């Protein structure tokens, strides 16, 4: 009986350890997945300097959250270092991101997702 409980505990622990990398994405993985996700039309750039989900999926949402968190931290650092408002950094970053978005990928303009021409 005790051996069965120990085996089940060990099995559950192993399953959890191997499942965690599948469930949780880190920032580097999100950065690597961003290009393909944008090309597939799942994620797009917004004028506020942050990514948005164009077509909902758990992976797209996770990519957006991780990268937006990193962007938010970087925008705050830039604003603090230059004694300017975070909103100004966000607006400039959004403008540049939209300018740099290749044709065919999504950008959010006037509240609507559109493919950039």
């Amino acid at each position: 009986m005790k051996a069965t409980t120990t085996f089940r505990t060990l099995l559950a622990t192993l399953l959890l350890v191997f499942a965690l990398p599948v469930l949780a994405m880190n920032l580097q993985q999100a950065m690597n997945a961003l290009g393909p996700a944008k090309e597939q039309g799942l994620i797009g750039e917004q004028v506020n300097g942050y990514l948005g989900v164009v077509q909902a999926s758990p992976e797209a949402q996770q990519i957006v959250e991780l990268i937006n968190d990193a962007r938010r931290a970087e925008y705050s650092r830039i604003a603090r270092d230059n004694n300017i408002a975070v909103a100004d950094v966000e607006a400039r970053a959004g403008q540049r991101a939209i300018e740099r978005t290749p044709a065919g990928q999504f950008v959010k303009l006037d509240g609507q997702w559109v493919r950039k021409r």
Side-chain angles (χ1 to χ4, degrees):
M1 183 90 142
K2 182 171 176 131
T4 304
T5 303
T6 303
F7 176 75
R8 285 183 182 166
T9 302
L10 178 62
L11 182 60
T13 302
L14 286 173
L15 287 173
L16 181 61
V17 166
F18 288 112
L20 282 178
V22 173
L23 298 175
M25 181 182 297
N26 65 34
L27 180 58
Q28 186 58 53
Q29 291 167 325
M31 294 294 292
N32 291 339
L34 179 59
K38 282 180 157 185
E39 290 169 3
Q40 293 170 21
L42 302 175
I43 295 172
E45 292 287 350
Q46 302 178 98
V47 295
N48 65 2
Y50 297 99
L51 297 168
V53 175
V54 178
Q55 291 183 24
S57 78
E59 182 183 20
Q61 186 62 44
Q62 195 170 24
I63 292 167
V64 166
E65 288 175 9
L66 286 166
I67 293 175
N68 282 349
D69 286 346
R71 286 183 179 187
R72 193 170 291 106
E74 182 64 7
Y75 297 162
S76 293
R77 184 197 64 76
I78 291 168
R80 184 181 59 252
D81 290 352
N82 293 284
N83 198 29
I84 57 177
V86 173
D88 292 338
V89 177
E90 292 169 334
R92 179 67 179 130
Q95 178 184 8
R96 292 184 72 200
I98 288 177
E99 288 170 358
R100 292 179 176 176
T101 297
Q105 292 186 7
F106 282 93
V107 294
K108 194 171 195 178
L109 303 173
D110 298 322
Q112 298 293 317
W113 288 111
V114 295
R115 284 196 186 268
K116 187 173 176 188
R117 295 179 189 239

